[in-house]
């Protein structure tokens, strides 16, 4: 286990177990338009630099999110919440843990298992939010 820090969260991370799981993972499998749009942007690496840099430092492909949810759409674009699971534990949270801020990520534990079957225990999630454009050649629903 290795100690790391993400946005003031202190964590203990099993990088090998995490890498092994992602190596065999097929990634997020939802076929709805919003998820396909998210995956198209992930494959293009079209997320904010801090998200890309964090996941690159862990060797996690952006298109292998373990949770993707469209929150809402407006004139700014499609608002997404998405996560990537890591083997390890959260040791400490920031003293001033705020309401989820879309400008950075957070560490949390999401019990939703759909996108991470058979993930090693213990685990936690890196959760992000982003407003992304619609890039599919089909109309938005």
């Amino acid at each position: 286990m290795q100690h790391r820090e993400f946005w003031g969260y202190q964590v203990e991370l099993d990088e090998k177990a995490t890498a092994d799981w992602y190596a065999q993972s097929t990634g997020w499998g939802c076929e709805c338009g919003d998820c396909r749009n998210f995956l198209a942007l992930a494959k293009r690496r079209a997320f904010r630099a801090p998200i890309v840099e964090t996941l690159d430092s862990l060797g996690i492909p952006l298109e292998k999110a373990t949770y993707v949810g469209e929150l809402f759409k407006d004139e700014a674009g499609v608002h997404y919440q998405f996560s990537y699971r890591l083997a390890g534990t959260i040791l400490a949270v920031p003293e001033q843990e705020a309401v989820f801020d879309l400008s950075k990520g957070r560490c949390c534990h999401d019990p939703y298992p759909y996108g991470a079957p058979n993930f090693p225990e213990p685990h936690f999630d890196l959760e992000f939010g982003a407003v992304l454009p619609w890039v599919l050649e089909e109309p938005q629903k």
Side-chain angles (χ1 to χ4, degrees):
M1 294 286 222
Q2 180 177 56
H3 287 272
R4 296 275 304 257
E5 185 268 332
F6 298 103
W7 319 288
Y9 294 85
Q10 300 299 316
V11 302
E12 191 172 61
L13 179 62
D14 186 336
E15 288 190 25
K16 181 178 179 344
T18 299
D20 289 349
W21 188 86
Y22 279 97
Q24 61 78 35
S25 169
T26 58
W28 188 248
C30 179
E31 290 293 319
C32 79
D34 292 313
C35 286
R36 287 185 293 107
N37 186 67
F38 173 89
L39 293 172
L41 289 161
K43 288 176 184 172
R44 295 179 190 177
R45 301 173 58 80
F47 298 159
R48 292 186 320 272
I51 296 170
V52 174
E53 291 164 2
T54 299
L55 296 172
D56 282 353
S57 77
L58 296 164
I60 298 173
L62 277 67
E63 64 272 14
K64 290 193 174 185
T66 54
Y67 174 77
V68 177
E70 177 259 322
L71 300 174
F72 62 93
K73 299 171 180 91
D74 63 15
E75 63 282 344
V78 185
H79 296 250
Y80 287 98
Q81 179 180 347
F82 50 101
S83 303
Y84 298 84
R85 188 151 288 173
L86 303 178
T89 57
I90 300 171
L91 302 173
V93 299
E95 196 170 299
Q96 297 283 44
E97 187 177 31
V99 174
F100 185 42
D101 179 356
L102 288 178
S103 68
K104 62 179 184 175
R106 72 175 180 166
C107 295
C108 62
H109 186 268
D110 184 352
Y112 189 65
Y114 177 73
N118 304 313
F119 204 91
E121 294 279 351
H123 57 70
F124 65 96
D125 299 283
L126 294 182
E127 185 175 72
F128 300 98
V131 181
L132 301 172
W134 187 262
V135 296
L136 299 181
E137 292 186 20
E138 61 190 58
Q140 236 178 314
K141 293 183 181 181

